[in-house]
Amino acid sequence: MSSEANLPHDIPGANFSAAPQSRVADPEVLDTTHGPILYLEGVTVSFDGFKALNNLSLYIDDGELRCIIGANGAGKTTMMDVITGKTRPDSGSVFFGQTINLLELSETDIAQRGIGRKFQKPTVFEPLSVFENLELAMATDKRAWVSLFAKLTGEQRDRIDEVLTIIGLTTERQRRAGQLSHGQKQWLEIGMLLMQNPRVLLVDEPVAGMTAQEVERTAELLLSLGGRHSVVVVEHDMEFVRSIANIVTVLHEGSVLAEGSMSKVQNDPRVIEVYLGE
Amino acid sequence: MRTHNSLISKLVQSDRGGSVLLALLGIAMVLVPLLNLAVPESSALHLSTYTMTLLGKYLAFALLALALDLVWGYCGILSLGHGAFFALGGYAMGMYLMRQIGERGVYGNAELPDFMVFLNWQELPWYWFGFDQFWFAMLMVVVVPGLLAFAFGWLAFRSRVTGVYLSIMTQALTFALMLAFFRNEMGFGGNNGLTDFKDILGFDLQADTTRAGLFVASALALALGYLLSRFVVNSKFGRVIVALRDAESRARFIGYKVEMYKVGLFVFSAMLAGIAGALYVPQVGIINPGEFSPLNSIELVIWVAVGGRGTLYGAVLGALLVNYAKTYFTGAFPEIWLFALGALFVLVTILLPRGVIGVLRRKQAETAT
C-alpha cells in the first residue's frame, strides 16, 4: 500500500518543489518511482446534477492487472472517459506517473503518451488483413507523406510477429479482419493497442458476447500482459473477473465501495448488499 | 532501364488486371499509329484518323475515371465534381493552344485571342501571361486543379464534412465554375470557350502524325497514371486511406491525421484529372464551360461504377465501355442515350455492385474451384 504522503496533490507541479533529493522532475517523462502509474484523486464528474463520479480516488500500480466491477451507472465508463481525456472532471486530479497531468492533455496526446483504450464494440479495419491492421496501429511516424514511402524494417516485422503470437492470431495473419470471429476481432483490437507500446491498457468489457472458449483465451491473454503493461479491465462477468483478478475495485454511485482481493471483496457486506447480493 | 523494368513489375506484381491493361496499352501505342499512318487507306486494316482520335479521347476519359476511382473507390469520397478538375486542365491546355494561334486568328492580332479583340479588350489579362510557353501551360495543367482541390479539401476535410454533404459541395463547386466560365468578363471565351486551335508545339493539329502523337501521349499518360496510382494504393498511405474509408474515427484515434491523407489524395486525383483534360482538348479541338456541367461529373461516376470501383483497372474498363456505348447509341439512337445511361446506372447499382470487374472475378473464382 502506498502511503498518502507519496502522492502528488491538487496543484500540478507541486512535486517540483517536493523532496530535495528527487532529481529534477521532467513533466515529459513518465515517472513511476513511487509505484503507482495512474493516480485519480477526488475526481467528481456531474452531468446535469447527476454525479457520475463522486470524489473518486483510485491508484493503479505499474504492471498491475486490475479489475473494476460495479452495477450499471456506477461510473465505470465515465472513469475511463476521464483517464483518456474524453470527459473533463469538475474537480479532482488525474496523473499519469508522478508528473504528467492528464487533465492538461488532449485525447490524442494521452493516447500517444501510452494510455491505450479498447472500446466495448470491436472496431478493426475490416477490409485490411490482420497483419495490415497491426501495421497501421504501430507506433511510428504517421504523417501522410511519410506513409507514402514507408517500408517495414525487420525489427518492425518482428514486433508485429511478436504481437501476433501474443494475441494468438499468427495463422490468421493474411486473413481479412472482416472475416474474423467476434472473439478474434477483440484480440486483434487488443493487439492493435499493444502495437502502440502502451504503459496502461484500459479494457472495456472484453468478454461480452464471447463463447466460453474465447473467454478462457482472453483471460490467458490479459494475464500474459501483466508485468509489462498495467491493465485495467472493466467487466460484468463475475466468473471472468474471478479467473484473472488480483485486486478488484468495486465502484458504487461514482466512488470506491470496496477494494481488495476477490474473496475479500465478495465477503464485504456492503458489496453483497449493493452488487453481488442481487 | 533494367531497374525501371523491375520497378514496374514490382508494382503490378499480383495485379493481373493491371498487367493486362499495361500490355494492351503498350500494344495500342504501337499498333494504332501504325494502322493509321503506315497502312494505306484502301486497305481493310486501315484505321481512320477519326477512330484514332476517338480512341485517344476514350483514353483521356479513362485517366479521368482512374482519378475518381482513387478518391471514391479507395477513400469513399464520392466526388460529384471531378469534371471541374478535368475542365480546368483542359482550359490550361486550351489557353496555350490559343496563344499558339498568334496572327493566324480572324482578327490577326498576334497578342490577343479573337474573342478578346471581339470584346474590345486592349491587352492580355494577367492570368493569360506565360501561357504562350508550353512548359508553363503544362505546369498549370496540374497546378491549377491541384490548388483548387487543396483549398476545397482543406476546408471540407478539416471541418470533417463527409458523405452526401461532401458530394453536394463538389457538385456545387463544378456548377459555380460553369456559371463563372460562361461569363465573357472572366476572359475565357464565355460560352464559346476556346477553339479554332491551329497547332501544338509547332505541329499541325489536323495532321495525322500529330493525332497519332496525341494518341500515344494519352496512352502513355494513362499507363503512367495507372502505375503512380498503383504505387499510392500499394503503399502504407493506401492502406491508411482504405482504413479510414470504413472507420475514420478509429484511424484518427490511432494517431493518423485523417484530413491530411484525404487532402493529399484529393489533390493527387485532381492533378490526374487535369492531365486528362489537357489530353482531351487538343484531340476534340474545343473546350467550353459545358465541360464543367454537373452532368459530366455524374456520367463519370457511372463509368467507374460500371467498371467496378476500388480496382483502378475497373475504372479504365468502365470508361472505355460506357463511352463506346455512348458513341454507338448517340449515333444510332440519339434520343434514347440518356435513358440508357440512367437505366445502366440503376441496373449496375442493383445487379452489379462491384461492376463488370466484380463479375469477371466471380467467374474466375468459380472456375478455379
Side-chain angles (χ1 to χ4, degrees), chain B residues 210-289:
Chain B
T210 313
R211 294 295 179 93
L214 286 169
F215 174 83
V216 172
S218 304
L220 207 60
L222 180 57
L224 288 176
Y226 182 85
L227 285 171
L228 263 177
S229 304
R230 182 56 64 191
F231 170 77
V232 169
V233 300
N234 277 4
S235 71
K236 186 181 165 197
F237 183 99
R239 290 190 282 284
V240 174
I241 59 170
V242 169
L244 69 86
R245 177 185 66 196
D246 299 324
E248 180 169 332
S249 55
R250 185 79 172 97
R252 188 175 281 122
F253 193 76
I254 285 183
Y256 290 99
K257 288 213 159 60
V258 165
E259 51 279 354
M260 296 314 288
Y261 280 81
K262 284 185 171 180
V263 170
L265 187 74
F266 201 58
V267 168
F268 175 62
S269 169
M271 287 176 163
L272 284 183
I275 294 171
L279 287 162
Y280 167 80
V281 166
Q283 302 192 74
V284 298
I286 183 168
I287 172 80
N288 64 30

Side-chain angles (χ1 to χ4, degrees), chain A residues 6-74:
Chain A
N6 282 338
L7 303 169
H9 293 280
D10 296 337
I11 316 145
N15 50 335
F16 280 68
S17 55
Q21 73 269 24
S22 72
R23 56 200 154 78
V24 180
D26 178 357
E28 297 299 310
V29 174
L30 181 65
D31 176 5
T32 57
T33 47
H34 293 285
I37 193 167
L38 211 50
Y39 299 82
L40 280 83
E41 291 194 331
V43 176
T44 300
V45 176
S46 43
F47 301 115
D48 299 326
F50 168 73
K51 283 190 174 171
L53 292 182
N54 187 6
N55 199 20
L56 172 76
S57 293
L58 187 69
Y59 311 103
I60 309 292
D61 277 334
D62 194 9
E64 166 183 23
L65 172 60
R66 173 80 61 98
C67 285
I68 301 199
I69 56 177
N72 279 333

Side-chain angles (χ1 to χ4, degrees), chain B residues 1-2 4-5 20 54 70 87 128 138 171 177 182 196 204 216 242 276 278 296 300 320 322 331 343 366:
Chain B
M1 198 60 204
R2 266 198 58 129
H4 203 72
N5 279 335
V20 171
L54 197 64
L70 267 178
W128 275 75
M138 291 309 101
Q171 181 98 100
L177 281 169
F182 262 127
D196 285 335
D204 180 8
V216 172
V242 169
N296 281 15
L300 164 60
L320 299 181
V322 178
E366 274 166 16

